[in-house]
Amino acid sequence: MSVVVPVYNCERYLEETIGSVRDQDIGDGRFEIIAVDDGSTDGSLDTLNRLAEGKSDLRVFSIPNSGSAAAPRNRGVDEARGRYLFFLDADDKLSPDTLRRVVSVADDTGSGVVLCKMGEFGAGKRAGNVPSTAFGATRLAVDFVESRAVSTLGALKLFRTSIVKEHGIRFPLGFVVGEDQAFTMKAYLHSPHVSILADKVYYWARGRGDGTNVTSTGQPPRKHLMRVLTLIKTIVENTEPGELRDTLLRRPIIGAAGVKSVFGKKMIPAHNRAEREAMLKEFREVVAPLWNPSIRDHGLPESQILVDLALRNDIDGVETVSRLLKEKKPVPLTLADDRTQLVYEPPAGSSVRDLRTRLHQTLETITAKTNVITVRGEFGIDGLAEAPDSAQIIFRHRKLGTKVVSKLDVSRTYTRRFGTRARFSTDIGVSKLTDSGIWDVFIKAKWSSVVVRERFGKSRAPGLDNSPLLVGDPIQAVVFIDHSDELAIDVGPTERHLDPVKRLELHVVDQFEVGRSAVVLVNGPVSTLQSASYQVDVKAKEKPARLIVHSTDQASVVVPRPAAKKQSCTIELKDAEGNPVEIALTELRD
């Protein structure tokens, strides 16, 4: 293992960072640390030389300041002698077993990239969020798109050195933020598969409140354009036209860090008219041949509009939208003449049509009296100054698909600069939710022929209590915010919501058959578990299962093979105090 550490003005963190590598339990002589100083102006280089003195595990190099982690990382790749590369930032640290675990997984699976779960430490805040989307469960030898590993393009991972060197994968120079995206994407595309370790935190990213880390300074839109175009070209050069290419291109073109980071709120203050026109030309030349509905339909209206206007070479239209975003105003939308879709009317030229419609919604209060739940909130479409014709609140059973629908009174409305909002209050009796289990909550609204349906509860009024709400005495249901950060109702209830054991701490990571039995491998905090049972569906009788605890973080549950094949089969694990944790086998299948 070659651990590559790019260093710039991190003198006060280096002993802890280098020490965390030296404390690894992988064994002496199985790793090297390659620290590359990027022209630091503090005592970083002296500290590195001191830490390397008399040691064979740390090699120190120095290059003139390049302004980003790309050049020092590239030097580290050139110097690496290990079978694997692992990139570690100079102010972060590793858990003691990180290198052993990622190397073991890479060796056992043949994966070209191994991702490990990240966590934050330190008094300040990181410049960017720690990735979480891909880390719902440990997954071995999986496709990087299907496993959602593609959602994290940072370089703080393990890479197989042979793949990096054989395919000439290097970090592009010239921009500070996102310089690792093209590197990681190309590595994904040339890997047979990837693996994801999610059972605990392996990589600790430091939050720094002093603003001295390079990425916290940001970069102007022109640099974001370089980042976007570099990633687009990397995808195009390493894929064939088709579904995979379109899926990967959505992020740099229509995603949150795509066109809006280039032509959004920062463009006009940062660049003059000539620079903006040049940016438009560069973007158009690369994106125009690739733009299609498969990419466009996955963007929000602001991004769809910006790309369409950019490809028309409508600089005035792009600037108008940019000013609206800078002033935190929504892009104004209207219903088309035939009232079948929402459109945007630019200052000149034809309307921008076929826009993706999203509800802006807010959960204001949720209360319960006896066995009746009262939900109050509001909803509307940003930029649309028209109230809905009708709306419904829908309660849908998560497993069975059963629906309970209630009509909403949308006569109470108000209009502000963000558009028109309809306010509602509705009651739902628990007795109407006839099946026990989890019910998800949706809002469905209609403007003429435009119909929008979405989960409800992610956006909540300031100060709203997010703790579970117990309904009935004895308890008949629990209203809670689920792992998707949306509103849900557990009728029964079927899970514990107030104990310290969280359902998502345990994950099904594998399942295989042995004779007439199915063995389900579970990762997570399993040391306190004492019994297991399974249930084929919500109406079937619960039956005992065999629980085998292998270690503090891994256990197996043995159930009959026919039961495990049922789509609705669930396993319930209990600890010494009888606290249950339910896991659906669909978690693995999904």
Side-chain angles (χ1 to χ4, degrees):
M1 170 70 74
S2 295
V3 180
V4 177
V5 184
V7 178
Y8 179 73
N9 288 357
C10 285
E11 176 185 9
R12 55 184 158 169
Y13 307 117
L14 287 172
E15 291 210 29
E16 185 176 12
T17 299
I18 300 300
S20 77
V21 183
R22 285 177 164 164
D23 289 341
Q24 293 294 299
D25 63 5
I26 191 173
D28 293 339
R30 296 195 64 199
F31 67 86
E32 64 172 352
I33 307 169
I34 302 173
V36 183
D37 184 75
D38 191 42
S40 294
T41 57
D42 65 356
S44 292
L45 184 56
D46 291 338
T47 300
L48 289 172
N49 287 328
R50 175 174 57 81
L51 292 171
E53 189 174 354
K55 304 285 188 180
S56 61
D57 60 354
L58 172 59
R59 294 194 287 149
V60 179
F61 302 90
S62 180
I63 63 174
N65 181 252
S66 65
S68 82
R73 282 177 177 161
N74 286 340
R75 177 64 182 275
V77 171
D78 294 339
E79 299 289 348
R81 299 177 297 201
R83 291 186 298 117
Y84 299 111
L85 292 161
F86 194 100
F87 294 99
L88 172 65
D89 281 351
D91 53 351
D92 297 341
K93 63 181 180 180
L94 303 177
S95 294
D97 60 345
T98 299
L99 296 188
R100 175 176 56 82
R101 291 285 283 123
V102 295
V103 167
S104 175
V105 167
D107 283 345
D108 292 345
T109 64
S111 293
V113 184
V114 178
L115 297 73
C116 56
K117 187 174 182 178
M118 298 177 64
E120 292 186 76
F121 77 108
K125 183 174 177 60
R126 290 189 80 236
N129 295 325
V130 167
S132 59
T133 302
F135 298 98
T138 292
R139 306 187 68 181
L140 306 179
V142 291
D143 178 81
F144 79 98
V145 176
E146 292 177 1
S147 66
R148 307 190 77 179
V150 70
S151 66
T152 167
L153 295 181
L156 308 176
K157 304 171 173 64
L158 173 144
F159 297 86
R160 190 174 292 272
T161 307
S162 59
I163 291 175
V164 172
K165 294 195 172 183
E166 287 172 13
H167 295 281
I169 305 175
R170 295 296 186 271
F171 294 89
L173 306 177
F175 42 96
V176 174
V177 178
E179 82 289 339
D180 45 2
Q181 292 181 356
F183 180 98
T184 304
M185 179 65 77
K186 191 171 181 180
Y188 280 154
L189 287 167
H190 288 284
S191 296
H193 43 67
V194 305
S195 290
I196 302 170
L197 283 171
D199 57 307
K200 56 173 250 182
V201 173
Y202 290 94
Y203 187 110
W204 292 97
R206 185 186 298 273
R208 289 163 61 178
D210 56 7
T212 57
N213 53 318
V214 175
T215 54
S216 68
T217 61
Q219 62 186 4
R222 188 66 179 265
K223 294 292 186 180
H224 280 301
L225 177 61
M226 289 177 60
R227 170 187 58 80
V228 164
L229 297 183
T230 299
L231 183 53
I232 291 173
K233 291 174 183 178
T234 298
I235 293 168
V236 171
E237 290 167 1
N238 293 276
T239 60
E240 296 295 328
E243 183 179 354
L244 173 61
R245 176 182 286 185
D246 289 347
T247 298
L248 299 179
L249 286 175
R250 290 167 191 160
R251 174 172 178 157
I253 297 178
I254 204 76
V259 67
K260 284 179 69 175
S261 67
V262 178
F263 301 121
K265 61 184 179 180
K266 295 182 179 180
M267 180 184 70
I268 292 177
H271 302 289
N272 61 37
R273 174 77 176 207
E275 290 172 330
R276 298 196 290 269
E277 290 176 342
M279 290 165 60
L280 213 65
K281 182 176 183 294
E282 293 171 29
F283 181 83
R284 190 171 64 254
E285 289 174 349
V286 173
V287 174
L290 306 169
W291 191 231
N292 62 53
S294 177
I295 300 172
R296 187 183 188 276
D297 291 348
H298 283 76
L300 294 179
E302 297 91 338
S303 295
Q304 293 176 319
I305 292 166
L306 281 171
V307 177
D308 281 0
L309 295 175
L311 297 186
R312 294 180 187 181
N313 198 27
D314 184 354
I315 183 65
D316 293 328
V318 170
E319 289 175 348
T320 297
V321 175
S322 180
R323 289 189 182 95
L324 288 171
L325 296 176
K326 183 178 183 299
E327 296 167 4
K328 298 182 179 180
K329 296 179 180 178
V331 178
L333 305 177
T334 59
L335 282 163
D337 291 340
D338 60 3
R339 301 184 69 80
T340 61
Q341 61 175 299
L342 295 177
V343 300
Y344 168 67
E345 301 290 350
S350 60
S351 60
V352 180
R353 306 174 68 84
D354 300 316
L355 296 176
R356 178 183 177 189
T357 307
R358 293 291 304 273
L359 277 183
H360 179 98
Q361 44 186 308
T362 302
L363 170 62
E364 294 181 336
T365 63
I366 184 158
T367 56
K369 186 175 182 180
T370 313
N371 66 342
V372 176
I373 302 167
T374 300
V375 180
R376 293 185 176 88
E378 64 178 39
F379 62 90
I381 295 176
D382 281 350
L384 180 63
E386 186 169 329
D389 300 322
S390 62
Q392 300 172 332
I393 188 166
I394 301 171
F395 302 87
R396 189 184 72 181
H397 195 281
R398 187 172 292 179
K399 290 183 180 178
L400 303 178
T402 312
K403 294 181 182 179
V404 175
V405 180
S406 179
K407 185 178 179 181
L408 296 178
D409 179 0
V410 294
S411 61
R412 296 175 58 219
T413 64
Y414 70 97
T415 302
R416 299 287 188 273
R417 67 176 188 174
F418 46 70
T420 296
R421 298 283 186 264
R423 307 192 70 178
F424 70 90
S425 176
T426 186
D427 297 331
I428 178 73
V430 174
S431 60
K432 291 185 177 180
L433 307 179
T434 54
D435 295 303
S436 62
I438 307 296
W439 293 74
D440 296 320
V441 185
F442 296 80
I443 297 291
K444 180 179 179 181
K446 185 176 182 180
W447 287 260
S448 296
S449 299
V450 177
V451 179
V452 191
R453 177 179 177 274
E454 291 184 17
R455 284 285 305 273
F456 182 61
K458 185 179 291 291
S459 176
R460 299 181 284 274
L464 182 69
D465 186 1
N466 291 340
S467 58
L469 175 66
L470 308 182
V471 184
D473 185 14
I475 299 172
Q476 299 179 32
V478 178
V479 184
F480 67 104
I481 303 299
D482 68 5
H483 67 276
S484 300
D485 203 30
E486 305 277 11
L487 188 65
I489 302 173
D490 182 6
V491 176
T494 60
E495 297 181 4
R496 290 288 183 93
H497 297 274
L498 298 179
D499 60 62
V501 178
K502 295 181 180 179
R503 178 176 184 264
L504 289 186
E505 288 180 339
L506 297 179
H507 307 284
V508 177
V509 296
D510 201 0
Q511 180 179 326
F512 53 93
E513 296 178 355
V514 179
R516 297 180 179 179
S517 299
V519 180
V520 180
L521 191 63
V522 178
N523 274 9
V526 300
S527 59
T528 62
L529 298 179
Q530 291 199 347
S531 65
S533 60
Y534 70 95
Q535 193 173 16
V536 175
D537 58 51
V538 293
K539 297 181 179 179
K541 184 179 179 180
E542 188 173 295
K543 297 181 179 180
R546 184 184 177 194
L547 172 68
I548 307 169
V549 177
H550 305 293
S551 64
T552 58
D553 61 0
Q554 193 169 83
S556 292
V557 181
V558 183
V559 299
R561 186 170 59 181
K565 289 184 177 181
K566 296 287 186 179
Q567 187 73 19
S568 57
C569 183
T570 58
I571 290 174
E572 186 176 85
L573 304 168
K574 290 185 179 180
D575 60 18
E577 297 178 2
N579 295 316
V581 183
E582 181 183 289
I583 300 177
L585 294 190
T586 52
E587 179 178 318
L588 178 66
R589 301 186 186 112
D590 292 342

